[in-house]
Amino acid sequence: MEFSGDRFDVVVVGAGIMGSCTAYEAAKRGQKVLLLEQFDFLHHLGSSHGESRTIRATYPEAYYASMVLESYRLWEAAQSEIGYRVLTKTPHLDIGPASDKRLQCVIANCEPNSINAQILHRSQLHDMFSGAFQLPDQWMGVATNVGGVIKPTKAVAMFQALAIRRGVVLRDRMEVKDIERDEEGGGIWVSAAGGDRFWGRKCVVTVGAWMKKLVKAVTGRVLPIQPLHTTVCYWKIKEGHEKEFSPETGFPTFASYGEPHIFGTPSLEFPGLIKIAMDGGHPCDPDRRDWRSGSGALVDSVIPWIEQVLEGRVEAGKPVMKQDCMYSMTPDGDFIVDFLGGEFGKEVVIAGGFSGHGFKMGPVVGRILAELAIHGEAAGFELKHFRVGRFEEDPKGNAKEFEDQVSSHVSRNHE
């Protein structure tokens, strides 16, 4: 194997949103950083590409809101530094049956996190959004001002550009096959498929849907992360209603609780189209995906929702455009952010299992990972819910306040 000759303070493996943010944050703290990517930079094979992700602070779990609010601040700071925007601010709307326990938890978590939430009944919601939403009987809505649409590929490129400005070395087409401790001098050796070797004092692994494979190859340990192939759909807005669904007129990002769990964004990426999709997907091997099948249920479940909730405004016959993506699901739908442990101790940090709702938190996760790698702790953040060891204590992971546990085959938002 060929040693690159350079030594780094931090080697980051995986250059999606989490890895790119981590490299940037580590470099901000004066570290010499290497960022490795197994495919081309900005590829469309993982979970950090596409046209849009939503940002919202409303969660059934109490421990995410503060992370989102800090991430929102970091998104704004990064945009100010680079000089262009990747985040379009919008309101956010959660709707669903008033009896839904997840929606009730969303409402309960707003006040403790100083999130200004408006509880809306059918007629109020109808008036607020120009009649676009037609809620069924016994449904309600929760509107907040912490929402928005992120351009994911542009956002990853932004953090990589900011990282380069701060001296980060970027290398793509570097498929990492092994991570080993340097028994002689301390630190970590990272070995790529082509024979290249890189040395770092610390290593951060953020390889998305490939996390389970890489950790197993390195340690023999099997992380409970299941990659899912999912499909996002765009639907045609009926003629004359296009402006109602634009962010300029105040149309929100939204999530619909109950069954099915639906999410969507304003009409932004493609004129006259709106993204409306069902959370979920089909188990897949990230290296052997079937690109032709599996979207039927994800599409069919959306049609009656459109006909009921967006009646007369969106053509519900079939989507006019589809985009494929992947989720990396944990049994409880919560992240894994922890040290790899074992022989690696605190020298290797792992982050994965973002379960379809992590993208918006990329900046704050990057900050946490950088601080874990550099200092061995992330001051100001409570990470107990993200420990990898929780699955050894209970295979289901974190207990939830609401009844419907997140299954390993269902996500909660493409964010």
Coordinates of all heavy atoms in Angstrom, one line a residue, residues 30 43 48 59 98 112 119 123 141 169 191 227 237 251-252 294 323 326-327 351 359 361 381-382 407:
G30 N -8.9 24.8 13.5 CA -7.5 24.8 13.3 C -6.9 23.5 13.0 O -5.6 23.3 13.0
H43 N -22.1 13.1 -6.0 CA -22.8 12.0 -6.7 C -24.2 11.9 -6.3 O -24.7 12.5 -5.3 CB -22.0 10.7 -6.5 CG -22.1 10.3 -5.0 ND1 -23.1 9.6 -4.5 CD2 -21.2 10.5 -4.0 CE1 -22.9 9.3 -3.2 NE2 -21.7 9.9 -2.9
S48 N -27.5 12.5 -0.1 CA -27.2 13.9 0.1 C -27.3 14.7 -1.3 O -26.7 15.7 -1.5 CB -25.7 14.1 0.6 OG -25.6 13.7 1.9
Y59 N -40.9 18.3 16.3 CA -40.6 16.9 16.4 C -41.5 16.2 17.5 O -41.7 16.8 18.5 CB -39.1 16.6 16.7 CG -38.3 16.4 15.5 CD1 -37.6 17.4 14.9 CD2 -38.0 15.1 15.1 CE1 -36.8 17.2 13.8 CE2 -37.2 14.8 14.0 CZ -36.6 15.9 13.4 OH -35.8 15.6 12.3
A98 N -56.5 15.0 15.2 CA -56.3 15.6 16.5 C -55.9 14.6 17.6 O -55.3 14.9 18.6 CB -57.5 16.4 16.9
P112 N -41.6 24.4 25.3 CA -40.3 24.3 26.1 C -39.1 24.7 25.2 O -38.1 25.0 25.8 CB -40.2 22.8 26.4 CG -41.6 22.3 26.4 CD -42.3 23.1 25.3
I119 N -52.0 26.8 16.9 CA -52.8 25.6 16.7 C -54.0 26.0 15.9 O -54.7 27.0 16.2 CB -53.3 25.1 18.1 CG1 -52.1 25.0 19.1 CG2 -54.0 23.8 18.0 CD1 -51.0 24.0 18.6
S123 N -61.1 25.5 9.7 CA -61.4 26.8 9.0 C -60.3 27.8 9.1 O -60.0 28.5 8.1 CB -62.7 27.4 9.6 OG -62.5 27.7 11.0
G141 N -54.2 21.5 12.6 CA -52.9 21.8 12.1 C -52.1 22.6 13.2 O -52.6 23.2 14.1
V169 N -8.1 19.1 2.5 CA -7.8 18.4 1.3 C -8.9 17.5 1.0 O -9.4 16.7 1.8 CB -6.5 17.6 1.5 CG1 -6.2 16.7 0.3 CG2 -5.3 18.5 1.9
S191 N -7.2 3.0 4.9 CA -6.7 2.4 3.6 C -7.9 2.3 2.6 O -9.0 2.0 2.9 CB -6.3 1.0 3.9 OG -5.2 0.9 4.8
P227 N -30.4 0.1 5.1 CA -30.6 1.1 4.0 C -31.9 0.8 3.3 O -32.4 -0.4 3.2 CB -29.4 0.7 3.0 CG -28.4 0.0 3.9 CD -29.2 -0.7 4.9
I237 N -49.5 20.8 -10.4 CA -50.5 21.7 -9.9 C -51.4 22.1 -11.0 O -51.0 22.4 -12.1 CB -49.8 23.0 -9.3 CG1 -48.8 22.6 -8.2 CG2 -50.8 24.0 -8.7 CD1 -47.9 23.7 -7.7
F251 N -46.7 29.6 1.2 CA -47.0 28.2 1.3 C -45.9 27.5 2.1 O -44.7 27.7 1.9 CB -47.2 27.5 -0.1 CG -47.8 26.2 0.0 CD1 -49.1 26.0 0.1 CD2 -47.0 25.0 -0.1 CE1 -49.7 24.7 0.1 CE2 -47.5 23.8 0.0 CZ -48.9 23.6 0.1
P252 N -46.3 26.6 3.0 CA -45.3 26.0 3.9 C -44.7 24.7 3.4 O -45.2 24.0 2.5 CB -46.2 25.7 5.2 CG -47.5 25.3 4.6 CD -47.7 26.1 3.3
G294 N -40.4 -1.1 -6.9 CA -40.5 -0.8 -5.5 C -41.2 0.6 -5.2 O -41.4 0.9 -4.0
Q323 N -37.8 10.9 -8.2 CA -36.4 10.9 -7.9 C -36.1 9.9 -6.9 O -36.9 9.7 -5.9 CB -35.9 12.3 -7.5 CG -35.9 13.3 -8.6 CD -35.4 14.7 -8.1 OE1 -35.3 14.9 -6.9 NE2 -35.0 15.5 -9.0
M326 N -31.9 7.3 -0.8 CA -31.8 6.2 0.2 C -31.9 6.8 1.6 O -31.5 7.9 1.8 CB -30.4 5.5 0.1 CG -30.4 4.4 -1.0 SD -29.0 3.3 -0.7 CE -27.6 4.3 -1.1
Y327 N -32.5 6.0 2.4 CA -32.5 6.3 3.9 C -31.6 5.3 4.5 O -31.4 4.2 3.9 CB -33.9 6.1 4.5 CG -35.0 7.0 4.1 CD1 -36.4 6.5 4.1 CD2 -34.8 8.3 3.7 CE1 -37.4 7.4 3.8 CE2 -35.8 9.1 3.3 CZ -37.1 8.7 3.3 OH -38.2 9.5 3.0
A351 N -20.9 8.3 12.7 CA -22.2 9.0 12.6 C -23.0 8.4 11.5 O -22.6 8.4 10.3 CB -22.0 10.5 12.5
F359 N -30.7 15.4 7.2 CA -30.0 16.4 6.3 C -30.0 17.8 6.9 O -29.0 18.5 7.0 CB -30.6 16.4 4.9 CG -29.7 17.1 3.9 CD1 -28.9 16.4 3.1 CD2 -29.8 18.5 3.8 CE1 -28.1 17.1 2.2 CE2 -29.0 19.2 2.9 CZ -28.1 18.5 2.1
M361 N -30.0 18.8 9.8 CA -29.1 18.9 11.0 C -27.7 18.7 10.6 O -26.8 18.6 11.5 CB -29.6 18.0 12.1 CG -30.8 18.5 12.8 SD -31.4 17.4 14.1 CE -32.7 16.5 13.3
F381 N -24.2 19.6 24.2 CA -25.1 18.7 23.5 C -25.3 17.5 24.3 O -24.3 16.9 24.8 CB -24.6 18.4 22.1 CG -24.5 19.6 21.2 CD1 -23.3 20.2 21.0 CD2 -25.7 20.0 20.5 CE1 -23.3 21.3 20.1 CE2 -25.6 21.1 19.7 CZ -24.4 21.8 19.5
E382 N -26.5 17.1 24.5 CA -26.9 15.8 25.1 C -27.0 14.7 24.1 O -27.9 14.8 23.2 CB -28.2 16.0 25.9 CG -28.6 14.7 26.6 CD -27.6 14.1 27.5 OE1 -27.4 14.6 28.5 OE2 -27.0 13.0 27.0
S407 N -40.6 1.9 12.7 CA -40.1 0.6 12.4 C -38.8 0.8 11.5 O -38.5 1.8 11.0 CB -41.1 -0.2 11.5 OG -41.2 0.3 10.2

